[in-house]
Amino acid sequence: MSNSGKFIQYFDTLRALATLGVIIIHISSPLVNMTYGKNMPYWWVGNVVDSAVRFAVPLFLMLSGATMLGKECKLNDFYKKRFTRVFIPFVFWLLAYWVYRWFMLKPAVQPTDFQSILKWAADLFLKEGVSKHLWYVYMIVFIYLALPFLGKLLRNMRQSTLATLVFCWMFFVFQTRQFPLNLYSWSGDYGSKFLGYFLHTGYLMLGFYLSRIDFSFKKIRFVAGMVFILSVLVSALGTYFMSESNHHLNLTMYSYLNLNTMLQSEAIFVWIKDIQIKNKSALWIQSTLSNYSFGICLVHIMIIGILFRNGIYWSFSHPAISLPVLTLVVLLCSFAIIFLLRKVPGGKYIAG
């Protein structure tokens, strides 16, 4: 089954949810890290919120699989489109984050001459990939190189064979769960980095597989909702007990390659799949978020950093209030930047 040429509403819904989820993760993570062992009631709020949005990055990968693996297209056309839509905006924002990180340095440690700036920029790339959230784009560029060939392989498979392949992927990920993965830096073990990329590729197969299944029977959304709630509880409680056992904060349960995160991602996909939203305002919001999702994901860390630098983060109120307020502020500011950038001549090619 191919989705080519057909608008599918739930793709927009899932992409909008994933966009919100990414922002929430990056706003709630400082709360989780800063309050553990100091203010546990606040920590629990952050822990539960963070546990509830672990689906965000997997969902983006699943959507790539669901929307692209079923389509047949010429290699030149595919790579040209990915180059325009992904690589060019990525290069622009990569340079923008280099500039942003330089301005965020204290004046006393800012490199000023060309040679020291070049050394600082190279070190930042090697240690953090310029900005840690860009690990996803490095990975997706790598995955897109192989995606047409993967799609050709999967399109010729029977559903049962595809299901077996997805199960084998999940089993392999579980078996390699203790293997340290280098996803952020460009120094050290490149083998573990590309292993991490390979393991994440399974989410594309999962999205492709789930998009081809009919989930119209009555109880499936109820079951999916229960699985999602259970996954949040497992993540939140697991994080607490593992941290207590290790006597320091242990975020293993937050991993995108954790079996619990996989189940959460599947549950949210199945729960939303083929859902019909008729409210015009809701449709406009989700469509707009979906359209601007890549740009929002690229720029939002810059907004969060500026806010945090000026003392505006979760601590200004109880996190039950500050987290949703900050999420809305970051979302609106990120959207406004990408919206305005697209209005500039040629801006649509670099905004994302």
Side-chain angles (χ1 to χ4, degrees):
M1 182 181 75
S2 173
N3 298 320
S4 180
K6 179 182 177 183
F7 169 73
I8 301 178
Q9 187 190 100
Y10 78 85
F11 288 165
D12 275 354
T13 309
L14 291 172
R15 194 172 287 109
L17 284 174
T19 304
L20 282 172
V22 166
I23 293 175
I24 292 170
I25 285 172
H26 291 137
I27 288 175
S28 61
S29 291
L31 168 61
V32 172
N33 284 282
M34 295 170 70
T35 57
Y36 181 73
K38 300 173 183 177
N39 189 335
M40 292 307 288
Y42 278 21
W43 180 83
W44 270 108
V45 174
N47 181 33
V48 171
V49 169
D50 217 330
S51 295
V53 289
R54 303 319 300 176
F55 62 80
V57 168
L59 208 54
F60 275 127
L61 293 170
M62 292 168 72
L63 282 166
S64 291
T67 57
M68 288 190 279
L69 287 177
K71 296 180 180 179
E72 289 190 50
C73 61
K74 295 180 179 178
L75 283 178
N76 287 343
D77 293 339
F78 177 83
Y79 290 132
K80 183 179 179 180
K81 185 178 290 187
R82 293 310 113 197
F83 182 81
T84 303
R85 293 186 178 181
V86 176
F87 190 72
I88 292 178
F90 170 56
V91 170
F92 170 78
W93 286 107
L94 185 66
L95 295 172
Y97 272 96
W98 256 314
V99 175
Y100 161 76
R101 293 293 298 269
W102 186 87
F103 276 106
M104 292 292 281
L105 293 171
K106 295 181 179 179
V109 296
Q110 276 180 340
T112 53
D113 62 275
F114 179 76
Q115 186 174 355
S116 59
I117 290 175
L118 200 61
K119 183 180 181 304
W120 167 82
D123 288 342
L124 187 63
F125 173 78
L126 291 173
K127 293 177 181 177
E128 300 181 28
V130 182
S131 180
K132 287 186 175 181
H133 78 297
L134 295 178
W135 74 271
Y136 175 82
V137 192
Y138 292 119
M139 178 181 68
I140 207 68
V141 168
F142 172 82
I143 289 175
Y144 281 167
L145 292 174
L147 193 142
F149 307 100
L150 179 63
K152 187 174 182 179
L153 173 67
L154 298 182
R155 284 192 298 273
N156 295 324
M157 284 186 179
R158 293 181 298 178
Q159 285 291 89
S160 58
T161 306
L162 184 55
T164 302
L165 188 61
V166 169
F167 176 80
C168 290
W169 163 68
M170 296 178 72
F171 179 77
F172 182 68
V173 170
F174 179 76
Q175 290 297 108
T176 58
R177 65 192 182 281
Q178 301 297 334
F179 197 92
L181 300 177
N182 168 33
L183 293 175
Y184 299 110
S185 73
W186 282 98
S187 59
D189 186 359
Y190 292 112
S192 71
K193 176 180 286 293
F194 291 115
L195 173 62
Y197 291 175
F198 172 75
L199 293 176
H200 280 85
T201 304
Y203 276 115
L204 280 79
M205 293 192 302
L206 178 60
F208 178 63
Y209 172 69
L210 293 177
S211 70
R212 293 159 62 95
I213 298 178
D214 179 15
F215 292 114
S216 59
F217 45 99
K218 293 182 179 179
K219 294 184 178 180
I220 188 63
R221 286 200 173 89
F222 174 79
V223 173
M226 291 299 99
V227 171
F228 174 79
I229 292 172
L230 182 61
S231 74
V232 176
L233 293 174
V234 169
S235 178
L237 292 172
T239 299
Y240 172 75
F241 286 115
M242 290 174 69
S243 298
E244 289 292 292
S245 175
N246 294 335
H247 305 293
H248 63 81
L249 187 59
N250 186 318
L251 301 179
T252 302
M253 293 299 298
Y254 286 4
S255 170
Y256 299 129
L257 294 174
N258 183 284
L259 182 60
N260 188 65
T261 303
M262 293 179 187
L263 293 174
Q264 182 181 107
S265 304
E266 290 179 56
I268 201 77
F269 194 103
V270 172
W271 185 60
I272 296 296
K273 187 177 187 293
D274 295 327
I275 196 170
Q276 293 298 316
I277 299 175
K278 297 182 179 180
N279 182 279
K280 291 183 178 180
S281 296
L283 286 172
W284 180 84
I285 291 172
Q286 75 172 29
S287 176
T288 302
L289 280 180
S290 176
N291 183 26
Y292 285 80
S293 61
F294 187 48
I296 289 172
C297 287
L298 287 170
V299 74
H300 78 282
I301 288 294
M302 197 176 290
I303 306 300
I304 292 174
I306 293 171
L307 291 173
F308 276 35
R309 181 71 174 266
N310 289 278
I312 304 173
Y313 55 104
W314 62 266
S315 64
F316 73 79
S317 181
H318 190 283
I321 297 173
S322 62
L323 292 184
V325 169
L326 280 173
T327 299
L328 182 60
V329 170
V330 171
L331 177 63
L332 291 177
C333 289
S334 300
F335 169 77
I337 289 172
I338 303 303
F339 177 83
L340 293 173
L341 193 54
R342 286 188 181 184
K343 297 298 181 183
V344 176
K348 65 180 181 179
Y349 298 108
I350 62 174

